[in-house]
Amino acid sequence: HLSAEEVHTALLMGAGALMLQWPTSLYSGVLRGLEAQVLQSAISIAGAAMRSLGALAVVWFVSPTVTAYVMTFAVANAAEMLATCIAAWLLLRRSSSAAARARWNVFREVWRFALSFNLVGVLLIALAQGDRLVTAGFLPLEELGYYSVASTASGGVAMIAWSVSIAVFPRFAGLSAAGNRETLRAEYHRAAQVNC
């Protein structure tokens, strides 16, 4: 029962919301590299709450339309990206005596790996959201909303494992760079036990 204009607008806003996640990933990586996982997690949690609870509130109290729903995601993604960017730059300035700057020689060395990593991310997003696209053809919009909430809630277990890996990865990298294999093995074993 949606007009072509509503679908077009929702798709454009959805694409914009998705594009805002790439800079967020970059700045989140900076925060993880600086071992500021607690701050990065707090920003991620706030962004997820804005997306989930904000979309629910907007659809319930303001406008029960697809456009309003997708607009909430775009605004939440923009706020998360901005908060992550500001936090990363402030921590970089505080942690380094030299000004932060891009090193293009490093980029030239790792661009293929970075590109493949981003392609895997795009594939993951397509697979993770594919069920909703297929289900959207069979369910009315209201039931699709319930399905999305249930799907998001069921992903909580995977979020625990992801949170542990995000928290320990910079430590693993530091131990590996230092050649401290014994401590690295012990830390890895402990992280694996937490995930199990």
Side-chain angles (χ1 to χ4, degrees):
H1 303 291
L2 298 174
S3 70
E5 185 179 342
E6 284 177 303
V7 172
H8 182 260
T9 303
L11 286 174
L12 285 177
M13 283 192 285
L18 184 62
M19 283 178 22
L20 289 168
Q21 290 184 329
W22 266 292
T24 303
S25 297
L26 171 71
Y27 294 121
S28 291
V30 170
L31 292 176
R32 286 192 297 271
L34 293 171
E35 296 188 15
Q37 293 93 339
V38 173
L39 176 60
Q40 191 266 327
S41 293
I43 294 170
S44 294
I45 290 168
M50 283 178 66
R51 277 186 294 278
S52 301
L53 300 176
L56 181 64
V58 165
V59 169
W60 199 306
F61 298 113
V62 179
S63 174
T65 63
V66 173
T67 307
Y69 180 77
V70 177
M71 175 65 96
T72 306
F73 273 72
V75 169
N77 284 356
E80 183 179 357
M81 191 245 337
L82 186 62
T84 309
C85 172
I86 291 169
W89 279 105
L90 289 175
L91 285 176
L92 275 172
R93 283 192 172 173
R94 190 179 313 155
S95 69
S96 170
S97 58
R101 59 183 173 82
R103 288 191 237 158
W104 296 108
N105 60 329
V106 173
F107 177 76
R108 281 190 290 274
E109 293 172 13
V110 299
W111 75 269
R112 285 184 181 91
F113 174 74
L115 179 63
S116 65
F117 201 75
N118 275 289
L119 291 176
V120 167
V122 168
L123 180 61
L124 178 64
I125 289 169
L127 291 173
Q129 303 300 322
D131 63 328
R132 292 180 181 131
L133 292 174
V134 171
T135 308
F138 302 109
L139 295 176
L141 187 58
E142 182 179 353
E143 290 181 28
L144 182 62
Y146 292 134
Y147 178 83
S148 291
V149 169
S151 177
T152 301
S154 68
V157 175
M159 289 299 290
I160 294 170
W162 178 76
S163 299
V164 170
S165 66
I166 291 295
V168 298
F169 184 75
R171 176 94 171 123
F172 290 166
L175 291 170
S176 178
N180 194 342
R181 301 279 183 216
E182 196 58 41
T183 306
L184 178 60
R185 279 191 199 102
E187 293 284 332
Y188 179 81
H189 183 68
R190 189 176 3 207
Q193 286 178 325
V194 168
N195 275 333
C196 291

